[in-house]
Amino acid sequence: MGAVSGIVAAVAGLAFAQLAAAAVRPESAPVTAVGGAAVDLTPVAVREWAIRLFGPSDKLVLTIGIVVVLAAVAALAGLLSVRHLPAGIAVAGGFGLLGAAAALSRPEAGWRDALPSLLGGLIAAGVLYLLVTAATRPRPAGTGSGGGTWSMDRRGFGRLVTGVLAASVAAGFAGRRLGAHGSAGATASRARFVLPRPTVPAPPVPAGADLRVPGLGPFLTPDRDFYRVDTALVIPRVDADTWRLRIHGEGVTRPLTLDLRQLLSRPLVEHDITLTCVSNEVGGPYAGNARWLGVRLADLLREAGVRPPSRGGPADQLVSRSVDGMTIGTPVEAVMDGREALLAVGMNGEPLPFAHGFPVRMVVPGLYGYVSACKWLTELRLTTFGAYDAYWVRRSWAQQAPVKTQSRIDTPRPYADLAPGRVAVAGVAWAQHRGIEAVEVRVDGGPWRQARLGAADGVDTWRQWVWPWEATPGRHTLEVRATDGTGAVQTGVRAGTVPDGATGWHSVEVQVKALG
């Protein structure tokens, strides 16, 4: 009964804290706040391992882990309460303080963010007291050897547990409904938002860019399949009607504050760009290609009076800030060197999905996402790399990270069983802002063979490739390497993702069946 009391008390605390968070902001909910703090404190090697192992489910796994640990501690607190009630209540209340501290540690947090966890801790402590005292009552003195033993009032305990759980379910449901109502404005603003026609439209994707090989994905990645790697346990849902962007800092002679309508009054450019996450292992899935629509970032910076360092500007770093407090540092020189660095509002002909940064995000070809692709953008500040380290730089990643030349075998899949004869070996290669000049494949360490490339859609997108292989029976290893537009051949030296991206040739082992 003590363990049940602890778990039920924790459920009640979390449910009412969720209800309170609906009135503050979703990020202030205890599990979300603790999860965010855990992400911040997790060593880089552990985080990279989790991304490799769990992929896009890493946040769900983290949340489940927090709930499991909380349930275990709650059960122990309940057991402790049976023997020493004040100590058990202190543990329950302590978890509220822990949640409050985590909430206050989050970027953009204010004192109100601590309230849901503090309320949850108080409710958990109160419920634990009620349940434990209802579950146990002293027998009349002298009925046992100690003169004060304990017995269970099971019926009254069961009624109280049922009532607490019912109230918790109601509070949790109300919290979810209020949270949904709070984000209804953002949802409605996206539904109303119609992408303007581009001032500079992108040309059609060249015929032959998509090789349409079975097992090879489409040239343009659908929004639903586009990779997502970020730290947000709760996807921010920003109301486009209230969104604002502030541009300020060193070298800004004309600070700007823009709403979405004002941003969209500038010329809009459409451009195909492949994005890549620095956490992408050799052969990994964290790369995607899309048609983006947005305002040229360089034009906005020039409007604000910014000059790049090569022209005497004092700032060499552009720090972008998300509504959830994430900061990303991008070289000013890179966004003003003529490449199509965009403040994007559209993706593949639709408004940005919430998961990919609605209403506005940054897209800079040629740089890994952690130094360029800020989602849910709300601020651009000009500074220097010497004066400020952005979020990931403080966690052992490099300040600057151009995308490295990479290639990947998408078909056949690893350990595939193949029939002998002609097999299409195919995949993608990328070297954004340099382009891909050639792709080569080899079998079992033999000579490199030239693959056929799909048509190029500029230097900022990946290129598909295919090589016809006459497969013979046995186990074989396929390897691929690419040459970028400068003539540099992709290195075969294996290196991990930290600090500035993985290197090495992707390889796939397959089994070709014997005839008969």
Side-chain angles (χ1 to χ4, degrees), residues 395-430:
R395 289 159 177 82
S396 303
W397 296 91
Q399 282 188 330
Q400 303 190 42
V403 171
K404 298 178 179 179
T405 302
Q406 282 291 310
S407 51
R408 186 179 74 201
I409 299 171
D410 288 341
T411 184
R413 307 297 296 173
Y415 310 112
D417 289 324
L418 306 175
R422 179 67 62 92
V423 173
V425 182
V428 290
W430 59 84

Side-chain angles (χ1 to χ4, degrees), residues 332-364:
V332 174
E333 198 69 50
V335 300
M336 300 188 75
D337 67 359
R339 73 185 74 193
E340 294 289 12
L342 302 177
L343 295 189
V345 296
M347 181 180 183
N348 291 330
E350 298 288 339
L352 291 171
F354 284 112
H356 293 290
F358 181 83
V360 180
R361 67 169 294 167
M362 271 179 59
V363 178
V364 182

Side-chain angles (χ1 to χ4, degrees), residues 298-394:
D299 290 349
L300 269 182
L301 294 180
R302 280 190 285 268
E303 185 179 336
V306 175
R307 291 175 292 126
S310 60
R311 297 190 177 183
D316 61 4
Q317 179 180 203
L318 177 66
V319 177
S320 51
R321 183 178 293 271
S322 165
V323 296
D324 66 353
M326 169 60 66
T327 56
I328 286 177
T330 308
V332 174
E333 198 69 50
V335 300
M336 300 188 75
D337 67 359
R339 73 185 74 193
E340 294 289 12
L342 302 177
L343 295 189
V345 296
M347 181 180 183
N348 291 330
E350 298 288 339
L352 291 171
F354 284 112
H356 293 290
F358 181 83
V360 180
R361 67 169 294 167
M362 271 179 59
V363 178
V364 182
L367 303 180
Y368 284 116
Y370 86 99
V371 292
S372 66
C374 185
K375 295 186 282 192
W376 313 294
L377 182 66
T378 188
E379 180 188 7
L380 293 171
R381 180 170 65 90
L382 280 296
T383 182
T384 65
F385 283 107
Y388 183 80
D389 285 338
Y391 180 91
W392 291 115
V393 176
R394 297 195 297 269

Side-chain angles (χ1 to χ4, degrees), residues 70 147 208 275-276 282 311 366 379 382 401 471 473 484:
L70 178 60
L275 297 186
T276 311
V282 172
R311 297 190 177 183
E379 180 188 7
L382 280 296
D484 72 16

Side-chain angles (χ1 to χ4, degrees), residues 74-320:
L76 291 174
L79 292 171
L80 178 62
S81 296
V82 173
R83 297 181 178 276
H84 193 273
L85 186 56
I89 290 175
V91 171
F95 261 81
L97 293 175
L98 177 64
L104 291 174
S105 74
R106 310 310 303 134
E108 309 298 311
W111 64 269
R112 296 173 71 246
D113 289 84
L115 297 180
S117 291
L118 293 176
L119 175 64
L122 286 173
I123 288 176
V127 169
L128 184 61
Y129 174 82
L130 290 175
L131 291 177
V132 170
T133 53
T136 57
R137 59 182 178 85
R139 290 178 181 173
T143 58
S145 58
T149 60
W150 296 85
S151 65
M152 292 290 182
D153 180 6
R154 295 180 181 274
R155 184 175 298 177
F157 178 79
R159 286 196 299 268
L160 189 54
V161 165
T162 301
V164 169
L165 290 177
S168 300
V169 169
F173 179 76
R176 290 185 64 85
R177 293 287 294 176
L178 287 174
H181 179 74
S183 63
T187 303
S189 71
R190 185 179 182 276
R192 290 192 303 269
F193 182 55
V194 178
L195 286 179
R197 295 178 64 85
T199 311
V200 184
V205 173
D210 196 327
L211 295 176
R212 303 186 186 279
V213 176
L216 182 60
F219 179 75
L220 290 175
T221 310
D223 295 1
R224 66 179 180 278
D225 298 329
F226 209 94
Y227 77 91
R228 178 192 164 213
V229 177
D230 53 49
T231 63
L233 271 69
V234 176
I235 295 175
R237 301 178 75 86
V238 181
D239 190 329
D241 297 332
T242 59
W243 176 85
R244 297 291 184 273
L245 173 66
R246 183 186 179 205
I247 302 175
H248 65 111
E250 294 184 45
V252 176
T253 59
R254 295 179 292 276
L256 298 175
T257 298
L258 304 174
D259 60 23
L260 189 58
R261 180 185 58 79
Q262 292 169 322
L263 179 69
L264 296 178
S265 69
R266 274 78 176 167
L268 290 172
V269 176
E270 196 174 50
H271 194 60
D272 297 342
I273 301 172
T274 296
L275 297 186
T276 311
C277 180
V278 74
S279 295
N280 200 46
E281 292 280 333
V282 172
Y286 300 127
N289 188 42
R291 175 158 291 190
W292 306 92
L293 175 69
V295 174
R296 285 192 177 111
L297 179 53
D299 290 349
L300 269 182
L301 294 180
R302 280 190 285 268
E303 185 179 336
V306 175
R307 291 175 292 126
S310 60
R311 297 190 177 183
D316 61 4
Q317 179 180 203
L318 177 66
V319 177
S320 51

